[in-house]
Amino acid sequence: MVINPTDTSQLATHSTFEGGGEMGKLMRAYAWEKHPLGHPDQWPQSLKTNIRLMLHSEFPMFIWWSKDFYNFYNDAYIATLGIKHPAALGASAREVWATVWKDIGDKAESILAGGQPFFAEGLLLYLDRNGFPEETYWTFSYSPAFDDAGLVGGVFCACSEVTSSVLAQRRLNTLKDIADAMFQADTLEQACQTGCYLLTQNASDVPFSQIYLLNKASTEIECYGEAGPWGLPSVLELYKNEEEKATWSKPMEEVLQTKNLVVVDNLEGLTLEDGTVVSKAAILPLFRPGQDQVVGFFVAGISPKLLYGSDYQNFHELLASQIATSVVSVKAHQEAIRQQAELIHVFQQAPVAIAIVSGPEFIIDIANPGICEIWGKRQQDVLGKPVLDALPEIRDQGIKELLDGVVQTGIPYVNEELALQFLRNGTMETVYVSFVYHPFRNIHGEIAGVIAMAIDISEQVKSRHHVEAVNQELLAINADLDNFVYSASHDLKAPISNIEGLMETLVEYLPAHILNLPEVQQVLQMIEASVSRFKRAVADLTEVAKVQREASEDVTAQDLLKVVEDVRLDFETKIKAAGAQIKTNFAPNATVKFSAKNVRSIVYNLLSNSLKYRSPERTLELSISTQSTPEYVILKVEDNGLGMKKNDHAKIFYMFKRLHDHVEGTGIGLYIVKRIVENAGGKIEVESEEGKGTTFQVYFRK
């Protein structure tokens, strides 16, 4: 007999059903007189009491009463029934849950026959509640419901659907496995195929999968990974392939244009190993992380045993995001390897000796032929080894200490002539090198190693030594140094220009999308910065050489007051920006016989230092004055800047020596000033106190 539970021809307004929300209303309106159980007045009091308790509970509950298991349930249980509600009210559970009665019916039948209660946790049941056998998970208990005589009259169940939590945990495990495995892949094919293979371990959520990647023109996609039953081609031409356009090309074009997920629901012939037919698939865009650029597609089969709701869709989107991240990461890794190979190729061709060492033991990562020739070693004998293992003969020659200093301070080390002993061809040989040690920083800005660029100047040094031996009476020690600096600086210009040319060529041949990668830009900027610093050092070396050669040129009477005012105009903007206060006090006839260019260079360097090394704690006060003695005209420049320690006074006149690294410079200015003044028969003195200021006095010989 079929009874319409909403038939209100006869109302059973029994107090048992008072309240109880929607189900209470339905039970009050139900034509119970037409039901086999009859009017509620005829029911056992225990049944009515249990129904009333059930209706007022917020926890999903139902009662199956009598041997026919007539169904009563509350509002919290409605969602479990899906489209079976409200027809399930009063119907036999055998009919309502016919598709799963073989899984749960025997437990209920056993309880009705006097058996023990039953409890299940996370039990898988395929419920036909939405028009198809749906994968669901339940935690519930079956217990006897007694009649007024104390006999078992039915089954009471308190249940909770845990489908969402079970699926969430399963999907979380899949995401973790995908992330871990694809991250370790070396190639795109390996990453994508590994990802699809792992998805077969969760065929309940992803019955089949395929990963397509776009070509550069976004006109063609190629399959890099697939798993499960499949009929798609390995390559698809977008906007062209009319034969396949209806099923696959068209939705993929839609995904590419809208950048949104598209569901294809007209699949045919895709059958899983268990015989399940899959008719739907989701096509999701693979985005470059942090951007809306589509780099490919993730095609995921949709299980016919699950509703494709927001949770299911979010899982597919998370998979697509993880796959995209892994794909881009592998691409970046491959590109980095390619760029590294190209850079190594450039270094191999560089006309100067280059080596890169990293880590606390200074492992030799790169050593081009030039450096290997200086060392007297083969590349295969030094690469990948700590520098002291590859070159044990330099252990006591201070090289390790120099490298440690560069890493610890971050300050480049330059040496225009260093004699080193190398074991070459079985014999210890003295090799003279001009070199730069520059700190190498990783992407986090941390110093990871040292870049060394060197030139073997042994022949120049030997030649100079020969000249010194022949012309000791004609050449002073300072002149010898100038000759070396002049020669070394010019020798360095050509190879540096060659490196610049090679880098420009490399940039011209790099594709735009590669050139614009942050990793590529960073490497190029690092190389450009290193070359620029080297060029500045070379330029300063050249300037040092000119000091001696031009010392006697352009000597005329120079008014120090006019020179100071002229230089002051050059710094007018910086003076105003610093709020500096400058006072001058010049003695009468403050005139010196000197090279105009050189005297201007002296004043320029002294004023520049005062401005650069001013104290941030107070306004810069700068005093410039002159006085005259029988032998000298003395220029005095006094400031209240940072000052320096007493044991550093002499160091500031050394070449490439800098006491502060917060401003630009190579540390050669004061060295040049000292050489200019001393070459003209004068001298320079400094008095300074850390935290109070510095005073320079330049003695121009009359």
Side-chain angles (χ1 to χ4, degrees), residues 54-363:
M54 176 189 71
L55 287 175
H56 288 81
S57 174
E58 298 293 332
F59 200 80
M61 295 179 180
F62 63 80
I63 296 173
W64 293 340
W65 190 255
S66 83
K67 61 182 178 59
D68 293 311
F69 295 101
Y70 292 121
N71 195 21
F72 297 89
Y73 54 94
N74 62 4
D75 283 6
Y77 189 73
I78 292 176
T80 303
L81 291 161
I83 62 176
K84 295 181 181 294
H85 170 77
L89 176 60
S92 171
R94 291 191 183 95
E95 298 174 3
V96 174
W97 298 122
T99 58
V100 294
W101 196 251
K102 65 181 186 301
D103 299 316
I104 61 175
D106 61 335
K107 308 297 189 302
E109 301 277 5
S110 174
I111 290 174
L112 199 62
Q116 294 298 314
F118 174 76
F119 174 79
E121 184 173 9
L123 180 66
L124 170 62
L125 295 174
Y126 288 97
L127 300 185
D128 185 6
R129 60 182 182 180
N130 289 302
F132 63 91
E134 182 180 353
E135 179 186 358
T136 64
Y137 295 87
W138 297 88
T139 294
F140 63 92
S141 65
Y142 285 168
S143 57
F146 299 98
D147 60 16
D148 292 347
L151 301 176
V152 178
V155 176
F156 172 80
C157 178
C159 60
S160 175
E161 183 173 2
V162 294
T163 303
S164 60
S165 60
V166 171
L167 296 184
Q169 186 59 52
R170 182 173 76 195
R171 292 164 179 174
L172 181 63
N173 292 338
T174 297
L175 286 167
K176 182 179 182 301
D177 292 342
I178 289 286
D180 291 344
M182 293 186 71
F183 178 77
Q184 300 176 23
D186 295 323
T187 66
L188 286 175
E189 292 81 359
Q190 182 183 356
C192 294
Q193 192 55 52
T194 297
C196 288
Y197 169 76
L198 285 173
L199 289 177
T200 64
Q201 311 304 308
N202 184 6
S204 297
D205 287 313
V206 189
F208 60 84
S209 61
Q210 194 156 18
I211 299 174
Y212 279 100
L213 298 182
L214 276 162
N215 64 358
K216 294 179 181 179
S218 296
T219 58
E220 185 178 270
I221 55 175
E222 181 179 354
C223 177
Y224 278 75
E226 62 179 342
W230 201 251
L232 265 72
S234 59
V235 177
L236 277 173
E237 291 186 79
L238 299 178
Y239 308 106
K240 292 182 180 181
N241 198 326
E242 294 298 329
E243 180 181 350
E244 296 161 343
K245 197 175 188 67
T247 302
W248 294 109
S249 296
K250 185 176 181 180
M252 285 188 175
E253 291 167 12
E254 182 180 347
V255 172
L256 186 59
Q257 292 168 358
T258 66
K259 297 180 172 56
N260 292 321
L261 174 152
V262 170
V263 174
V264 178
D265 57 6
N266 58 347
L267 302 182
E268 296 179 359
L270 295 182
T271 304
L272 303 181
E273 292 182 359
D274 62 0
T276 302
V277 177
V278 181
S279 60
K280 295 182 181 181
I283 304 177
L284 300 98
L286 299 178
F287 292 110
R288 185 178 297 279
Q291 304 178 26
D292 64 352
Q293 178 189 354
V294 178
V295 297
F297 304 94
F298 171 50
V299 182
I302 297 175
S303 171
K305 300 175 182 178
L306 290 170
L307 283 173
Y308 196 56
S310 59
D311 289 345
Y312 199 169
Q313 179 177 322
N314 288 340
F315 170 60
H316 278 167
E317 289 175 346
L318 287 171
L319 277 176
S321 176
Q322 182 57 61
I323 290 170
T325 299
S326 299
V327 165
V328 172
S329 176
V330 171
K331 278 187 174 181
H333 178 66
Q334 289 181 314
E335 180 59 23
I337 292 175
R338 187 192 64 78
Q339 293 172 14
Q340 184 180 27
E342 289 188 0
L343 286 174
I344 291 175
H345 183 63
V346 171
F347 289 148
Q348 292 291 92
Q349 300 178 80
V352 296
I354 299 176
I356 297 179
V357 296
S358 63
E361 295 184 347
F362 301 108
I363 304 296

Side-chain angles (χ1 to χ4, degrees), residues 415-417 464 468 475-489 541 544-546 548-549 655 671 675:
N415 195 310
E416 58 269 19
E417 180 183 321
R464 194 187 74 239
E468 289 173 349
L475 300 175
I477 296 177
N478 286 343
D480 292 338
L481 177 60
D482 292 334
N483 286 336
F484 157 68
V485 171
Y486 183 81
S487 175
S489 64
L541 289 173
V544 172
K546 290 181 179 179
Q548 177 65 22
R549 294 172 179 269
M655 191 182 299
Y671 172 84
R675 293 300 305 275

Side-chain angles (χ1 to χ4, degrees), residues 485-486 488-490 493 535-547 549 668:
V485 171
Y486 183 81
S489 64
H490 281 71
K493 287 179 180 178
K535 287 174 66 177
R536 287 201 301 269
V538 171
D540 287 340
L541 289 173
T542 303
E543 188 64 26
V544 172
K546 290 181 179 179
V547 170
R549 294 172 179 269
I668 202 169

Side-chain angles (χ1 to χ4, degrees), residues 363-368 372 378-385 390:
I363 304 296
I364 301 173
D365 297 323
I366 293 177
N368 73 347
C372 288
R378 298 180 304 173
Q379 283 182 312
Q380 59 265 35
D381 294 333
V382 297
L383 290 177
K385 295 182 178 180

Side-chain angles (χ1 to χ4, degrees), residues 616-679:
E617 300 176 356
R618 52 186 173 273
T619 300
L620 174 62
E621 295 179 359
L622 182 60
S623 174
I624 307 172
S625 61
T626 63
Q627 66 182 86
S628 180
T629 69
E631 294 183 42
Y632 300 100
V633 173
I634 304 171
L635 174 66
K636 185 177 182 180
V637 179
E638 184 177 7
D639 66 52
N640 64 339
L642 294 174
M644 69 190 85
K645 298 177 182 178
K646 188 169 184 179
N647 57 2
D648 288 332
H649 289 187
K651 296 179 182 179
I652 62 173
F653 297 109
Y654 294 167
M655 191 182 299
F656 300 112
K657 183 63 180 179
R658 300 174 64 220
L659 302 182
H660 303 282
D661 58 5
H662 66 281
V663 296
E664 289 291 327
T666 59
I668 202 169
L670 290 176
Y671 172 84
I672 292 177
V673 168
K674 187 172 186 292
R675 293 300 305 275
I676 290 174
V677 173
E678 291 179 349
N679 287 344

